[in-house]
Amino acid sequence: MTISRRDLLKAASVGAASLACASGADAQLRQPVPAPAGWVVGQMSGADALVETLRAEQVDCVYGIPGAQENEVWDSLKTKRLPYLLTTHEFSAATMADGYARSTGKPGVLCIVPGPGLTNALTGLGEALLDSVPIVCIVGDVSNAANALPFQVHCLNHVALLQPVTKRVFTVARVADIPDVVRQAFQLARAGEPGPVAVVIPYNLFLEAARFNSGPLEAIALPFDAEACRRALQLLGDRRLRVGIYAGMGCMDHAPAIVRLAELLQAPVATSMSGKGVVPETHPLAVGWGYGPHGTRTAEDLFRNHVDVVLALGVKFSEVSTGFNSNPERRHLIHVDINQASFGRIMRNSQCVHSDVGVFCTQAFEQADALRRTDNARLREIIQLRKRDETRANDEVFARTCVDPMRFVQCLRRLTAPDALAFVDVTLSQYLATECFTATQPRTFFNPTDNQAMGWSIPAALGAQKVHSGRQTLTITGDGCFLMSATEISTAARERLPVKFFVLDDQAYHYMQELQSPAYLRTTATILARLDYRSLAMGYGVAYQEIRTPDELEPRIRTVLEHNGPVLTRVVVDYRRRPIRWINAARARFINELSPEQRRRFLARIASRAADRQPQND
Ligand SMILES: Cc1ncc(C[n+]2csc(CCOP(=O)(O)OP(=O)(O)O)c2C)c(N)n1
Ligand SMILES: [Mg+2]
């Protein structure tokens, strides 16, 4: 019989607990024996056991909104001093847990009511699923007690609702199972490609009591395909091949290893959108985002002219990050990922290596001598020159009367701390910031990539600021995205979370206009309300600032950053003449993919509308 570490810990904890219950005579003298770290031991209610388990899992904050089903849990959070944050909407609860997880690397936790609480949270959970973010979603379900009546409030099919937006839904049927099931949820949220996991607990179990004795689970072993790794390293050992590294979010906890690998291979490093910061973008081998026409010019040029084999690490070539699949095929692609389902879906592969990125790097370093390239000063010089040209091109100002959005992003970067946490919302601000907001540290640049959930940045930033006290935290949000979650700014005021909210105001869904105008020669449903942002800020109880002209950029951003509380800043922008590489690349791909018949219909419609001198916009 083999005895696992878990069995040993369990035996130790039972011993400790039974010692604690020793003879009555010395009971008064006895100090309560604390459970060993990470264990949940003793007689308590289901709600207390849940909170003890969250503490054992080292949760720093629970996000959500209480309801009749969860009041026991929220009361226990307070008693046991586990910090919580009340949100205004459950989309925000999921998204705050997401911001927490991306910025700390630990699973974020939300606790919500069934029914509307759950359906509200689905969008945020969907973002976490597609973006590989570990979250544990606790749902207090309707009662499953023997005397429970039908037609309980919020009685939807929660398991069915959660399944498509999570890695797995756990249900708890007995109070005694709460800690072990919650631990399994944490374990699975972290394992392999991370993602959200739900635990559905009937609320009557929170009230029931049981004797618990639950210890930590062992981490799930990392996959490693040794043979595929050997073949990949053999290919990398061919010094005639020039390597380029394409690093995704799966590299986030291996930043020093990626830098070392790049230096060993003398490889330029590009990142996916969510991989930004894995390598400091100021590093002489860092070339920025993507390697197609949608990302930085530097990455595109370097990978086109100086790379034979792409080494893709912890990344899945998703549509948004690749500009609608614009990354060009190179002669060889080695794809290393913890999720086999990512392999060969978009790009043709030379080698697929089912492995954690850290494990792969360790193997590579063991063969460092076979992989090492000679120092390539010329390559670094080319990268430096391309970066300089790129900065110059980005500096060009296209907005005539108000602020150029790219100029704003660059100025904001210059004035913020290198470790500032930047949360960017979807579409234009996202493409511009991913191009030019230089990230120099891992887990500092965040955006909702593959679910493109508008309004994500505001709650995500609040979730992060809550546990990164004193760290500069900001959002860059289009005015349409702002409207989706602006109410959460009231949470910043209530909790004194000093997030700086920048809204790029063009009074439109400019992205939709960019897509619609060339195809339909008119726009439909793209114009937004004219808002009085100053009054909004006052209503929410946060400070206000406005940036209308290029001259105001620097002084006003400085003023905002110096303020010690939350600030809403309206930046009046004009995108109209600013070329956006992602849009141009995606548009070219879209046109390319139309069938001849579809193309004929598009052209015929354009021709029929071209004569219209007064297009019906909106
Ligand atoms: C929840 C949700 N609804 C709709 C969309 C489709 N969509 C993507 S971007 C966008 C407009 C964004 O507008 P804004 O925030 O003003 O940014 P801008 O395009 O003006 O830069 C819309 C409607 C989406 N991604 N998410
Ligand atoms: Mg807009």
Side-chain angles (χ1 to χ4, degrees), residues 426-429 452-454 478-481 484 506 508-512 528 575:
V426 305
T427 66
L428 301 191
S429 45
Q452 288 281 293
M454 288 174 69
D479 47 352
C481 294
M484 291 249 177
D506 69 331
Y509 287 159
H510 185 70
Y511 178 53
M512 289 306 128
L528 299 174
Y575 292 103

Side-chain angles (χ1 to χ4, degrees), residues 20-161:
C21 303
S23 78
D26 54 343
Q28 285 150 336
L29 299 173
R30 191 186 64 218
Q31 293 290 319
V33 177
W39 281 75
V40 178
V41 176
Q43 176 85 14
M44 65 188 98
S45 72
D48 283 347
L50 168 62
V51 176
E52 284 293 336
T53 312
L54 298 179
R55 281 166 48 108
E57 291 290 330
Q58 299 177 0
V59 172
D60 302 311
C61 184
V62 174
Y63 304 93
I65 299 181
Q69 293 77 7
E70 289 77 21
N71 281 333
E72 279 292 317
V73 177
W74 287 78
D75 190 71
S76 181
L77 289 173
K78 178 178 270 176
T79 305
K80 294 180 178 295
R81 298 175 192 276
L82 204 169
Y84 50 81
L85 184 61
L86 171 62
T87 68
T88 64
H89 192 287
E90 287 84 358
F91 164 65
S92 306
T95 304
M96 287 189 193
D98 181 340
Y100 166 100
R102 292 190 207 220
S103 60
T104 62
K106 301 197 296 184
V109 177
L110 67 154
C111 180
I112 51 175
V113 300
L118 171 57
T119 50
N120 279 349
L122 294 178
T123 302
L125 293 173
E127 190 67 64
L129 180 73
L130 298 190
D131 289 1
S132 322
V133 180
I135 283 182
V136 173
C137 172
I138 310 281
V139 185
D141 203 356
V142 301
S143 173
N144 74 346
N147 62 352
L149 295 174
F151 311 124
Q152 294 179 58
V153 65
H154 304 326
C155 190
L156 296 176
N157 185 343
H158 300 113
V159 173
L161 283 165

Side-chain angles (χ1 to χ4, degrees), residues 506-525:
D506 69 331
Q507 280 179 33
Y509 287 159
H510 185 70
Y511 178 53
M512 289 306 128
Q513 296 181 334
E514 285 278 352
L515 299 186
Q516 293 176 4
S517 297
Y520 312 113
L521 297 197
R522 67 187 189 196
T523 61
T524 303

Side-chain angles (χ1 to χ4, degrees), residues 113-410:
V113 300
L118 171 57
T119 50
N120 279 349
L122 294 178
T123 302
L125 293 173
E127 190 67 64
L129 180 73
L130 298 190
D131 289 1
S132 322
V133 180
I135 283 182
V136 173
C137 172
I138 310 281
V139 185
D141 203 356
V142 301
S143 173
N144 74 346
N147 62 352
L149 295 174
F151 311 124
Q152 294 179 58
V153 65
H154 304 326
C155 190
L156 296 176
N157 185 343
H158 300 113
V159 173
L161 283 165
L162 283 160
Q163 267 162 348
V165 291
T166 55
K167 287 174 83 170
R168 180 160 169 197
V169 185
F170 288 94
T171 52
V172 181
R174 299 177 327 139
V175 61
D177 297 337
I178 288 177
D180 285 343
V181 174
V182 171
R183 285 179 194 283
Q184 286 177 51
F186 275 88
Q187 186 192 49
L188 184 61
R190 292 188 194 99
E193 182 177 347
V197 177
V199 185
V200 178
I201 310 176
Y203 78 88
N204 50 306
L205 303 187
F206 294 140
L207 303 164
E208 287 177 22
R211 178 162 291 281
F212 296 93
N213 185 33
S214 157
L217 300 181
E218 295 196 2
I220 292 176
L222 295 171
F224 180 60
D225 183 340
E227 176 53 24
C229 180
R230 190 192 59 73
R231 275 186 268 121
L233 293 179
Q234 198 173 19
L235 184 60
L236 289 175
D238 182 348
R239 292 198 178 86
R240 289 166 304 179
L241 297 177
R242 298 164 303 171
V243 184
I245 294 176
Y246 181 52
M249 201 194 230
C251 300
M252 214 38 99
D253 292 325
H254 310 291
I258 305 297
V259 172
R260 190 176 154 201
L261 190 62
E263 289 170 355
L264 183 72
L265 295 166
Q266 291 293 294
V269 188
T271 71
S272 68
M273 223 171 209
S274 50
K276 254 177 92 80
V278 159
V279 168
E281 291 183 307
T282 45
H283 187 282
L285 289 169
V287 294
W289 164 40
Y291 56 91
H294 58 288
T296 59
R297 292 172 175 81
T298 309
E300 186 185 15
D301 178 80
L302 264 292
F303 273 61
R304 185 198 296 127
N305 299 317
H306 303 275
V307 167
D308 305 305
V309 52
V310 173
L311 175 59
L313 299 172
V315 69
K316 61 185 170 200
F317 294 96
S318 67
E319 181 178 292
V320 173
S321 189
T322 60
F324 217 77
N325 308 319
S326 299
N327 276 0
E329 301 268 1
R330 293 263 65 92
R331 214 170 104 216
H332 301 285
L333 172 68
I334 299 171
H335 193 174
V336 180
D337 200 80
I338 202 154
N339 186 355
Q340 284 175 296
S342 308
F343 295 146
R345 304 288 293 276
I346 303 293
M347 312 291 275
R348 259 181 296 123
N349 291 81
S350 302
Q351 305 288 342
C352 299
V353 185
H354 188 205
S355 171
D356 168 74
V357 170
V359 174
F360 177 81
C361 289
T362 306
Q363 295 293 316
F365 299 145
E366 280 178 12
Q367 300 185 28
D369 290 341
L371 302 182
R372 185 172 290 110
R373 270 54 170 181
T374 50
D375 183 65
N376 191 342
R378 176 75 190 128
L379 178 72
R380 290 198 303 275
E381 195 185 319
I382 291 169
I383 293 174
Q384 196 182 17
L385 286 172
R386 295 290 174 277
K387 280 180 169 170
R388 197 178 302 155
D389 293 347
E390 177 143 27
T391 307
R392 235 178 255 141
N394 289 345
D395 276 346
E396 193 179 342
V397 170
F398 291 87
R400 300 243 165 94
T401 52
C402 50
V403 176
D404 189 291
M406 192 101 156
R407 181 51 79 81
F408 160 72
V409 173
Q410 287 170 311

